[in-house]
Amino acid sequence: DQQVKQNSPSLSVQEGRISILNCDYTNSMFDYFLWYKKYPAEGPTFLISISSIKDKNEDGRFTVFLNKSAKHLSLHIVPSQPGDSAVYFCAASANFGNEKLTFGTGTRLTIIP
Amino acid sequence: ETGVTQTPRHLVMGMTNKKSLKCEQHLGHNAMYWYKQSAKKPLELMFVYSLEERVENNSVPSRFSPECPNSSHLFLHLHTLQPEDSALYLCASSQDRQSSYNSPLHFGNGTRLTVT
């Protein structure tokens, strides 16, 4: 049973618009959430994170929102740029641990010029 | 060279072969990981090493055998694999295995393994 779910395998967004990637989780013990970005033929790279004591974290064009009651988080990218085209993985951990990091299946984002 | 380097990038092996995947990190991290990524599945943690000691083994079949000779190097020895073991194998490192808060994982580019 998948504890971290990304229900949209793919998403296409016009350049300059907002991209919203969603992630749902089932384990109420998760207290730290991360987003990773992956280009083809490369490994995932860390993008942004949020702990359960916050509901929003912003880093430049990237903002992550956490709704603990709904067990839902989202990544907003605005404005979207062609270089944002990649696969985005949501991940969650309990007790902030790296060795118990649980990943989603990823969402492929395509930015249309 | 910086970051996490994996070799080879691609590997095709028969079911009776023995091969090894290599990972090297140049970040001074204390923890190293092997992950498996199969098509349309989440990344699956296979092994965790912290300060060269194995601390996690997620019920991985014995045909996968990890080795961590020092904090910078990690190997995954493969033998008698099955076609369903074909996947992308990713190595990662972090400063501390117990806290992703200040120590997110840094991944290598992976080895694409095909078992025929």
Coordinates of all heavy atoms in Angstrom, one line a residue, chain A residues 18-64:
Chain A
I18 N 1.2 29.2 -13.8 CA 1.5 28.5 -12.5 C 1.4 27.0 -12.7 O 0.4 26.5 -13.4 CB 0.6 28.9 -11.4 CG1 1.0 28.3 -10.1 CG2 -0.9 28.7 -11.7 CD1 0.3 28.9 -8.8
S19 N 2.4 26.2 -12.2 CA 2.3 24.8 -12.2 C 2.0 24.4 -10.8 O 2.6 24.8 -9.8 CB 3.6 24.2 -12.6 OG 4.0 24.5 -13.9
I20 N 1.0 23.5 -10.6 CA 0.6 22.9 -9.3 C 0.7 21.4 -9.3 O 0.0 20.8 -10.1 CB -0.8 23.4 -8.9 CG1 -0.8 24.9 -8.9 CG2 -1.1 22.8 -7.5 CD1 -2.2 25.5 -8.6
L21 N 1.6 20.9 -8.5 CA 1.8 19.5 -8.4 C 1.3 19.0 -7.0 O 1.6 19.6 -6.0 CB 3.3 19.1 -8.6 CG 3.9 19.4 -10.0 CD1 4.6 20.7 -10.0 CD2 4.8 18.2 -10.4
N22 N 0.6 17.9 -7.0 CA -0.1 17.5 -5.8 C 0.5 16.2 -5.3 O 0.9 15.3 -6.1 CB -1.6 17.4 -6.1 CG -2.2 18.7 -6.3 OD1 -2.1 19.6 -5.5 ND2 -2.9 18.8 -7.5
C23 N 0.3 16.0 -4.0 CA 0.8 14.8 -3.3 C -0.1 14.5 -2.1 O -0.4 15.5 -1.4 CB 2.3 15.0 -2.9 SG 3.0 13.7 -2.0
D24 N -0.5 13.3 -1.9 CA -1.3 12.9 -0.8 C -0.6 11.8 0.0 O 0.2 11.0 -0.6 CB -2.6 12.3 -1.2 CG -3.5 13.4 -1.9 OD1 -3.9 14.4 -1.3 OD2 -3.7 13.3 -3.2
Y25 N -0.7 11.8 1.3 CA -0.1 10.8 2.1 C -1.1 10.2 3.1 O -2.1 10.8 3.4 CB 1.1 11.4 2.8 CG 0.9 12.5 3.8 CD1 0.7 12.2 5.2 CD2 0.8 13.8 3.4 CE1 0.5 13.3 6.1 CE2 0.5 14.8 4.3 CZ 0.4 14.6 5.6 OH 0.1 15.6 6.5
T26 N -0.8 9.0 3.6 CA -1.7 8.3 4.5 C -1.2 8.2 5.9 O -2.0 8.0 6.8 CB -2.1 6.9 3.9 OG1 -0.9 6.2 3.7 CG2 -2.8 7.1 2.6
N27 N 0.1 8.2 6.0 CA 0.7 8.0 7.4 C 0.8 9.3 8.2 O 1.5 10.2 7.9 CB 2.1 7.4 7.1 CG 2.8 6.9 8.4 OD1 2.4 7.3 9.5 ND2 3.8 6.1 8.3
S28 N 0.0 9.3 9.3 CA -0.1 10.5 10.1 C 1.2 10.7 10.9 O 1.4 11.8 11.5 CB -1.3 10.4 11.0 OG -1.2 9.2 11.8
M29 N 2.1 9.7 10.9 CA 3.4 9.9 11.6 C 4.4 10.8 10.7 O 5.4 11.2 11.2 CB 4.0 8.6 11.9 CG 3.2 7.7 12.8 SD 2.9 8.5 14.4 CE 4.6 8.4 15.0
F30 N 4.1 10.9 9.5 CA 5.0 11.7 8.6 C 5.1 13.2 9.2 O 4.0 13.8 9.4 CB 4.6 11.8 7.2 CG 4.8 10.5 6.4 CD1 3.9 10.1 5.4 CD2 5.9 9.7 6.7 CE1 4.1 8.9 4.7 CE2 6.1 8.5 6.0 CZ 5.2 8.1 5.0
D31 N 6.3 13.7 9.3 CA 6.4 15.0 9.9 C 7.3 15.9 9.0 O 7.6 17.1 9.4 CB 6.9 15.0 11.3 CG 8.2 14.2 11.5 OD1 8.8 13.9 10.5 OD2 8.5 13.9 12.6
Y32 N 7.8 15.4 7.9 CA 8.7 16.2 7.1 C 8.5 15.7 5.7 O 8.4 14.6 5.4 CB 10.2 16.0 7.5 CG 11.1 16.9 6.9 CD1 11.0 18.3 7.2 CD2 12.2 16.5 6.1 CE1 11.9 19.2 6.6 CE2 13.0 17.4 5.5 CZ 12.9 18.7 5.8 OH 13.8 19.6 5.2
F33 N 8.4 16.7 4.8 CA 8.1 16.5 3.4 C 9.0 17.2 2.5 O 9.4 18.3 2.7 CB 6.6 16.9 3.1 CG 5.6 16.3 4.1 CD1 5.4 17.0 5.3 CD2 5.0 15.1 3.8 CE1 4.5 16.4 6.2 CE2 4.1 14.6 4.7 CZ 3.8 15.2 5.9
L34 N 9.4 16.5 1.4 CA 10.4 17.0 0.5 C 9.9 16.9 -1.0 O 9.1 15.9 -1.3 CB 11.7 16.3 0.6 CG 12.3 16.2 2.0 CD1 11.9 14.9 2.7 CD2 13.9 16.2 1.9
W35 N 10.4 17.7 -1.8 CA 10.2 17.6 -3.2 C 11.5 17.4 -3.9 O 12.5 18.2 -3.6 CB 9.4 18.8 -3.8 CG 8.0 18.8 -3.5 CD1 7.4 19.4 -2.5 CD2 6.9 18.2 -4.3 NE1 6.0 19.2 -2.5 CE2 5.7 18.5 -3.6 CE3 6.9 17.4 -5.4 CZ2 4.5 18.0 -4.1 CZ3 5.7 16.9 -5.9 CH2 4.5 17.2 -5.2
Y36 N 11.6 16.5 -4.8 CA 12.8 16.2 -5.6 C 12.4 16.4 -7.1 O 11.3 16.1 -7.5 CB 13.4 14.8 -5.4 CG 14.2 14.7 -4.1 CD1 13.6 14.5 -2.9 CD2 15.6 14.8 -4.2 CE1 14.4 14.4 -1.7 CE2 16.4 14.7 -3.0 CZ 15.7 14.4 -1.8 OH 16.5 14.3 -0.7
K37 N 13.4 16.9 -7.8 CA 13.2 17.1 -9.3 C 14.2 16.2 -10.0 O 15.4 16.1 -9.6 CB 13.5 18.6 -9.5 CG 13.5 19.0 -11.0 CD 13.8 20.5 -11.0 CE 13.9 21.0 -12.4 NZ 14.2 22.5 -12.4
K38 N 13.7 15.6 -11.1 CA 14.6 14.7 -11.8 C 14.5 14.9 -13.3 O 13.5 14.8 -13.9 CB 14.2 13.2 -11.5 CG 15.2 12.2 -12.2 CD 14.7 10.8 -11.9 CE 15.7 9.8 -12.4 NZ 15.9 9.8 -13.9
Y39 N 15.7 15.2 -13.9 CA 15.8 15.3 -15.4 C 16.2 14.0 -15.9 O 16.7 13.1 -15.2 CB 16.9 16.3 -15.8 CG 16.6 17.8 -15.4 CD1 17.4 18.5 -14.6 CD2 15.5 18.4 -16.0 CE1 17.2 19.8 -14.3 CE2 15.2 19.7 -15.7 CZ 16.1 20.4 -14.9 OH 15.8 21.7 -14.6
P40 N 15.9 13.7 -17.2 CA 16.2 12.4 -17.8 C 17.7 12.2 -17.7 O 18.5 13.1 -17.8 CB 15.8 12.6 -19.3 CG 14.8 13.7 -19.3 CD 15.1 14.6 -18.1
A41 N 18.1 10.9 -17.4 CA 19.5 10.5 -17.3 C 20.2 11.1 -16.2 O 21.5 11.1 -16.2 CB 20.2 10.7 -18.7
E42 N 19.5 11.7 -15.3 CA 20.2 12.3 -14.1 C 19.5 11.7 -12.8 O 18.3 11.3 -12.9 CB 20.1 13.8 -14.1 CG 20.9 14.4 -15.2 CD 20.9 16.0 -15.1 OE1 20.5 16.5 -14.0 OE2 21.3 16.6 -16.0
G43 N 20.1 11.8 -11.7 CA 19.5 11.5 -10.4 C 18.6 12.6 -9.9 O 18.7 13.7 -10.4
P44 N 17.7 12.3 -9.0 CA 16.9 13.3 -8.4 C 17.7 14.3 -7.7 O 18.7 14.0 -7.1 CB 16.0 12.5 -7.4 CG 16.0 11.1 -7.9 CD 17.4 10.9 -8.5
T45 N 17.3 15.6 -7.7 CA 17.9 16.6 -6.9 C 16.9 17.3 -6.0 O 15.8 17.5 -6.3 CB 18.6 17.7 -7.8 OG1 17.6 18.2 -8.7 CG2 19.7 17.1 -8.6
F46 N 17.4 17.6 -4.8 CA 16.5 18.2 -3.8 C 16.0 19.5 -4.2 O 16.8 20.3 -4.7 CB 17.3 18.2 -2.4 CG 16.5 19.1 -1.4 CD1 15.4 18.6 -0.8 CD2 17.0 20.3 -1.0 CE1 14.7 19.3 0.2 CE2 16.4 21.1 -0.1 CZ 15.2 20.6 0.5
L47 N 14.8 19.8 -4.0 CA 14.2 21.1 -4.5 C 13.8 22.0 -3.3 O 14.2 23.1 -3.1 CB 13.0 20.8 -5.4 CG 12.4 22.0 -6.1 CD1 13.4 22.7 -7.0 CD2 11.2 21.5 -7.0
I48 N 12.9 21.5 -2.5 CA 12.3 22.3 -1.4 C 11.7 21.3 -0.4 O 11.3 20.2 -0.7 CB 11.3 23.3 -1.9 CG1 10.9 24.3 -0.8 CG2 10.0 22.6 -2.5 CD1 10.1 25.5 -1.4
S49 N 11.6 21.7 0.9 CA 11.0 20.9 1.9 C 10.1 21.7 2.8 O 10.1 22.9 2.8 CB 12.1 20.2 2.7 OG 12.9 21.2 3.4
I50 N 9.4 21.0 3.7 CA 8.5 21.6 4.7 C 8.4 20.7 5.8 O 8.2 19.5 5.7 CB 7.2 22.0 4.1 CG1 6.4 22.9 5.1 CG2 6.3 20.8 3.6 CD1 5.2 23.6 4.4
S51 N 8.4 21.2 7.0 CA 8.1 20.4 8.2 C 6.7 20.6 8.6 O 6.0 21.5 8.2 CB 9.1 20.8 9.4 OG 8.6 21.9 10.0
S52 N 6.2 19.6 9.5 CA 4.8 19.6 9.8 C 4.4 20.8 10.7 O 3.2 21.0 10.9 CB 4.5 18.3 10.5 OG 5.3 18.1 11.6
I53 N 5.4 21.5 11.2 CA 5.0 22.7 12.1 C 4.6 23.9 11.2 O 4.2 24.9 11.7 CB 6.1 23.0 13.1 CG1 7.4 23.4 12.4 CG2 6.3 21.8 14.0 CD1 8.5 23.9 13.3
K54 N 4.9 23.8 9.9 CA 4.5 24.9 9.0 C 3.5 24.5 8.1 O 3.2 23.3 7.8 CB 5.8 25.3 8.2 CG 6.9 25.9 9.1 CD 8.0 26.4 8.2 CE 9.1 27.2 8.9 NZ 10.1 27.7 8.1
D55 N 2.8 25.5 7.4 CA 1.9 25.2 6.4 C 2.3 25.7 5.0 O 1.7 25.5 4.0 CB 0.5 25.6 6.7 CG 0.4 27.1 7.1 OD1 1.4 27.8 6.7 OD2 -0.6 27.5 7.7
K56 N 3.5 26.4 5.0 CA 3.9 27.0 3.8 C 5.4 27.2 3.9 O 5.9 27.7 4.9 CB 3.2 28.3 3.5 CG 3.7 29.1 2.3 CD 2.9 30.4 2.2 CE 3.5 31.3 1.1 NZ 2.8 32.6 1.0
N57 N 6.1 26.9 2.8 CA 7.5 27.3 2.7 C 7.8 27.7 1.2 O 7.4 27.1 0.3 CB 8.4 26.1 3.0 CG 9.9 26.4 3.1 OD1 10.2 27.6 3.4 ND2 10.8 25.5 2.9
E58 N 8.5 28.8 1.1 CA 8.7 29.5 -0.1 C 10.2 29.6 -0.4 O 11.0 30.0 0.4 CB 8.1 30.9 -0.1 CG 7.9 31.5 -1.5 CD 7.1 32.8 -1.4 OE1 6.5 33.0 -0.3 OE2 7.1 33.6 -2.3
D59 N 10.6 29.3 -1.7 CA 12.0 29.5 -2.1 C 12.0 30.0 -3.5 O 11.9 29.2 -4.5 CB 12.8 28.2 -1.9 CG 14.2 28.3 -2.3 OD1 14.7 29.5 -2.6 OD2 15.0 27.3 -2.2
G60 N 12.1 31.3 -3.7 CA 12.0 31.8 -5.1 C 10.7 31.5 -5.8 O 9.7 31.9 -5.3
R61 N 10.8 30.9 -6.9 CA 9.6 30.6 -7.7 C 8.8 29.4 -7.1 O 7.7 29.1 -7.6 CB 9.9 30.3 -9.2 CG 10.6 31.5 -9.9 CD 10.8 31.2 -11.4 NE 11.7 30.1 -11.6 CZ 11.4 28.9 -12.1 NH1 10.1 28.7 -12.5 NH2 12.3 28.0 -12.3
F62 N 9.4 28.7 -6.2 CA 8.8 27.4 -5.7 C 8.2 27.6 -4.3 O 8.9 28.2 -3.4 CB 9.9 26.3 -5.6 CG 10.6 26.1 -6.9 CD1 11.7 26.8 -7.3 CD2 10.0 25.1 -7.8 CE1 12.3 26.5 -8.5 CE2 10.6 24.9 -9.0 CZ 11.7 25.6 -9.4
T63 N 7.0 27.2 -4.1 CA 6.3 27.2 -2.8 C 5.7 25.9 -2.5 O 5.0 25.3 -3.4 CB 5.2 28.3 -2.8 OG1 5.8 29.6 -3.1 CG2 4.6 28.4 -1.4
V64 N 5.9 25.4 -1.4 CA 5.2 24.1 -1.0 C 4.2 24.5 0.1 O 4.5 25.2 1.0 CB 6.2 23.1 -0.5 CG1 7.1 23.5 0.6 CG2 5.5 21.8 -0.1

